[in-house]
Amino acid sequence: MPLVYTDDRRLCFLIDTGASHNVLLRDAYVRERDLFGKRGKSNYLIGMEGTPEDVFIVDGAITIGGQTLTTSFGVLDASRAMETVRIITGLTIDGALGADFLRSNALSVDFGSLSLHSGSDSRR
């Protein structure tokens, strides 16, 4: 599964090319609140379990591969589902970066090497 860590390794995101929006898990938002702007408007997303979830939107700046990227996240409480992922994989995933993030930052995913690419550089 394609994952990317922020340069300071404080956050780990799943790259979800099928997702239209970025998601930040509520636990990560609480833990890393200083990286994100104030709580914004509410919205709905279809959660990982296929049901509509009420989320609030925050803006954040994350640094990946030496480049600081600003984007919006829907903050979602999916702690039960992600605890299952952590038990199975041993990884703590803090959210997902969707297709809009990739498109707006001109990034592509190499599924062979599980890395992000922008031009000629790659980020893990």
Side-chain angles (χ1 to χ4, degrees):
M1 98 181 117
L3 299 173
V4 65
Y5 288 88
T6 55
D7 286 359
D8 58 11
R9 304 208 43 97
R10 288 168 66 177
L11 294 168
C12 175
F13 291 98
L14 171 69
I15 304 300
D16 186 351
T17 58
S20 352
H21 302 286
N22 303 314
V23 171
L24 180 66
L25 299 179
R26 189 177 309 269
D27 292 344
Y29 172 71
V30 169
R31 185 183 75 236
E32 303 293 345
R33 193 172 301 216
D34 61 313
L35 298 176
F36 302 96
K38 65 181 182 176
R39 182 178 174 151
K41 64 183 178 180
S42 293
N43 204 346
Y44 285 94
L45 294 176
I46 301 299
M48 288 185 261
E49 294 156 354
T51 56
E53 301 283 343
D54 186 27
V55 298
F56 60 89
I57 307 300
V58 296
D59 292 327
I62 56 175
T63 304
I64 300 171
Q67 185 177 2
T68 300
L69 309 166
T70 303
T71 191
S72 295
F73 294 91
V75 178
L76 177 68
D77 185 6
S79 53
R80 287 181 36 205
M82 294 316 294
E83 179 62 14
T84 302
V85 170
R86 189 193 63 74
I87 290 168
I88 293 169
T89 66
L91 299 170
T92 299
I93 297 172
D94 298 305
L97 300 172
D100 189 53
F101 174 82
L102 299 172
R103 191 174 28 262
S104 65
N105 291 291
L107 298 171
S108 61
V109 180
D110 179 339
F111 286 97
S113 65
L114 299 178
S115 58
L116 281 180
H117 293 271
S118 172
S120 61
D121 67 352
S122 65
R123 303 142 196 224
R124 282 195 171 254

